[in-house]
Amino acid sequence: MFGLLGLTMASGAAATALFSPARPASALMLTLTLFGAAAIGWNGVVTGPLLFGAIVGSGLGYRAAYLLLALPALAVGLRFTFGR
């Protein structure tokens, strides 16, 4: 279950980073709904927003923040899915 949650969170963060204004709002809402459903129990909600804000504030932007925060979720998801 943790593996699936981690992979879903990583996918949601990466998908959010790749959105552009040309995408339909319904696709964004679906992505954010799935992303939020997976991430709601993640303990990173304590430090995640602070890191996100620091990344955006440093000038790297929202895309970089979503992609960088996808990495820990991806690592944990892969570890719990394929690790021993």
Side-chain angles (χ1 to χ4, degrees), residues 34-49:
L34 294 173
F35 187 19
I40 198 152
W42 180 51
N43 289 331
V45 296
V46 175
T47 57

Side-chain angles (χ1 to χ4, degrees), residues 3-84:
L4 180 61
L5 287 173
L7 294 175
T8 303
M9 285 186 281
S11 298
T16 302
L18 299 175
F19 267 97
S20 70
R23 294 275 175 108
S26 59
L28 178 62
M29 291 302 191
L30 177 62
T31 299
L32 295 180
T33 298
L34 294 173
F35 187 19
I40 198 152
W42 180 51
N43 289 331
V45 296
V46 175
T47 57
L50 295 174
L51 290 172
F52 189 91
I55 294 167
V56 172
S58 73
L60 293 175
Y62 287 96
R63 184 169 293 193
Y66 277 111
L67 288 173
L68 288 172
L69 290 180
L71 294 177
L74 177 62
V76 170
L78 291 172
R79 170 70 172 100
F80 277 104
T81 301
F82 301 109
R84 296 186 112 207

